[in-house]
Structures are given as structure tokens and as C-alpha cells.
Amino acid sequence: MKKDLIISYVFRAVSYMVFAAVLFLFVSIVAGGVKYFSPSFFLDYPRSGMTEGGIFPAILGSFYLMVLTFLISIPLGVFTGVFLSEYGENVVARWIDISLTALSGIPSVVYGLFGLAFFCVALQFGTSMIAAALTLSLMTLPVIASSTKETMKAIPVEIREAALALGAKKEEVIFKVLLPAAKRGIITAVLVGGGRALGETAPVLLTGAVFYSTELPKGLFSPVMTLPTHIYYISAAYGESAQWMAKGTAAFLMIIVALIYGAAFFLRRRENGTHH
């Protein structure tokens, strides 16, 4: 009993230390950049070699990319998860499941190199928003599909049996009973995948990001400015006179990602409370 108590204190101390480190990092970045927030910082284009102006095209570019990524990855991920959960007793489903597990462990820069070789070069999309969105969709697909599968499997079997006993077909059980019951878990997975995609730099840098833009993208095949690549460019290629913009952009990006993960955490807590 005493040994269990000691182990409990050790785990608790390690958890508090990790939380304190993450909180310190978050507060340091936000405090260093929030002082540059102003209406012109969010609504203006960058000027004078990124030393003046704002980040409006980067904000809108990241928003466009997220919308495109969700439009591609959500239907594919949800239908893949439903297939694995409800029709997963065959060789094809097992191979898809193994492939998703392998994809979830691949570094983001590898996704970027694949997107560059396949979407930009082989399919001749060039450096474009659609190439970046397809690459980010590949990254978020395993998260959404795996979470959808696990959420569907966690639904009590009595619900399926009751719906089938009332005469519903299997497709009706899936679309009218199981998917509505699993929607909170699916939304949580979408938020987690979206938060990761929003903060990724390497895949977008290789497939769809432009260094500097004075106009908004005109279509799917136009390149875009994004928040994480904007920070990377300024930090790597500009001097001290432009670092204030990198700090402000980093603070804004951290706040947005924290809000997305906060919403996902809130939904997961409510889902666990519902199941209990």
C-alpha cells in the first residue's frame, strides 16, 4: 500500500512538472507577442520587407486551407472509420487499419515530400492551395478514421440490437442511430486533426506556401500565405526589424490552436460524462 502511494506521488509530480513546462512555454510565447496585437496587425498586408503592416493574407490563407482540408478529410475519414467499425471483418479492412496506423506515425516532413512529388509534380498542381490541402488531408485522415472507428465500437451493442430488432436495416442503423450517437467523438477527432494541421509547417512549406503575397489567392491552384510558414520565413530569413511580426503571429497561432484543443477537450469530457 505504501509503495502504491509513493508511485502515485511520483506520477503526480511528473504530471505537474510537464503541465508547468507546457504552461510556461505557452505563456512566454503569448506574452511576447500579444503586445503587438492591433486592428492593423490583423487586417493589413505586410509591407516594407515584412517590417511593417500585418498578417491578413496569412490568416485568410490558413483559414482557406483548413476549410479545404476539412472538406476532403472529414467525409473520407468518417466513412473509412464506419467501414472499419461495421464491416471490418475481412482482409481489406485489416490492411486499411494497418495502413492508417502506419500513416499516423510518419513525420510531417515526409508527408510534405510526398505531396511535393505526387500532387505538385506528378499531377502538375504546382505550388498551390489544393496541393497543400490534399497533403494536410492525408495527415488528418488517420486521426479522424481511427477515432471514428473507436467511437463507433464504444457504442453499447444493445443499441444496435434494439434498432435491428425494430426492423431497421443495417444502413439505417449506421446513419440514423450509430453516427448521431458518435457525433461528439467524431467532432473531437476533427478538432484534434484540424489543430495539428493548422500548426504544421513542413507539408505546407513544400506544397502550397508562398513567401510573400500582396493579394489573396484567386483559386484552388494559387499559392497561399499561412501562419506557420510566415513565422518560419521571418525567423529564417529576416533580421531583428521583422521579429516583432513573428512574435505576434506566433502568439496568435498559439491562441487559436489552444482554443481548438480546448474545445476538443471540453467535448471529450462531456462525452466521457455521458458514457459514465
Side-chain angles (χ1 to χ4, degrees):
M1 187 67 184
K2 189 175 180 181
K3 186 178 178 182
D4 291 342
L5 193 62
I6 293 173
I7 292 174
S8 171
Y9 281 131
V10 170
F11 281 129
R12 189 175 299 181
V14 171
S15 300
Y16 289 161
M17 289 169 61
V18 171
F19 174 73
V22 173
L23 185 64
F24 174 76
L25 181 67
F26 178 79
V27 171
S28 299
I29 294 174
V30 172
V34 73
K35 56 188 174 186
Y36 302 113
F37 286 5
S38 66
S40 63
F41 180 72
F42 295 112
L43 299 176
D44 285 356
Y45 288 79
R47 301 189 305 270
S48 305
M50 302 275 195
T51 59
E52 298 177 8
I55 59 172
F56 179 65
I59 294 174
L60 210 58
S62 288
F63 175 74
Y64 284 164
L65 266 186
M66 285 300 98
V67 171
L68 269 178
T69 301
F70 284 152
L71 287 176
I72 298 168
S73 62
I74 289 176
L76 289 176
V78 170
F79 275 90
T80 304
V82 170
F83 173 70
L84 293 175
S85 172
E86 304 303 315
Y87 303 95
E89 302 300 325
N90 56 60
V91 176
V92 175
R94 282 196 289 274
W95 275 106
I96 293 175
D97 203 9
I98 293 171
S99 301
L100 290 175
T101 303
L103 284 173
S104 63
I106 294 177
S108 59
V109 68
V110 177
Y111 280 101
L113 291 171
F114 172 79
L116 175 65
F118 185 69
F119 298 124
C120 298
V121 178
L123 297 185
Q124 299 184 344
F125 289 168
T127 301
S128 62
M129 193 161 53
I130 186 65
L134 287 167
T135 306
L136 291 176
S137 298
L138 285 177
M139 285 185 56
T140 55
L141 180 63
V143 177
I144 298 174
S146 299
S147 297
T148 301
K149 184 192 77 172
E150 297 303 326
T151 305
M152 298 276 287
K153 283 186 172 295
I155 296 173
V157 68
E158 291 81 4
I159 294 179
R160 288 180 174 82
E161 293 176 347
L164 291 171
L166 290 172
K169 297 178 181 177
K170 187 163 185 175
E171 293 77 14
E172 292 175 323
V173 175
I174 291 172
F175 288 101
K176 295 183 179 179
V177 178
L178 299 182
L179 277 177
K183 66 180 180 183
R184 199 170 289 166
I186 295 172
I187 294 173
T188 301
V190 169
L191 290 173
V192 171
R196 182 190 175 192
L198 180 64
E200 285 291 347
T201 305
V204 183
L205 190 69
L206 293 170
T207 55
V210 67
F211 172 64
Y212 176 77
S213 176
T214 57
E215 60 182 15
L216 298 178
K218 295 177 180 176
L220 294 176
F221 295 95
S222 300
V224 290
M225 287 182 71
T226 67
L227 294 169
T229 55
H230 185 62
I231 298 169
Y232 172 80
Y233 282 136
I234 292 178
S235 302
Y238 281 80
E240 188 62 31
S241 59
Q243 295 306 309
W244 70 272
M245 189 175 284
K247 292 177 182 177
T249 308
F252 178 66
L253 182 60
M254 287 288 285
I255 291 171
I256 296 297
V257 172
L259 289 175
I260 291 174
Y261 282 134
F265 178 76
F266 175 73
L267 285 173
R268 181 165 293 177
R269 291 267 298 181
R270 286 193 63 182
E271 183 184 11
N272 292 337
T274 302
H275 284 171
H276 290 149

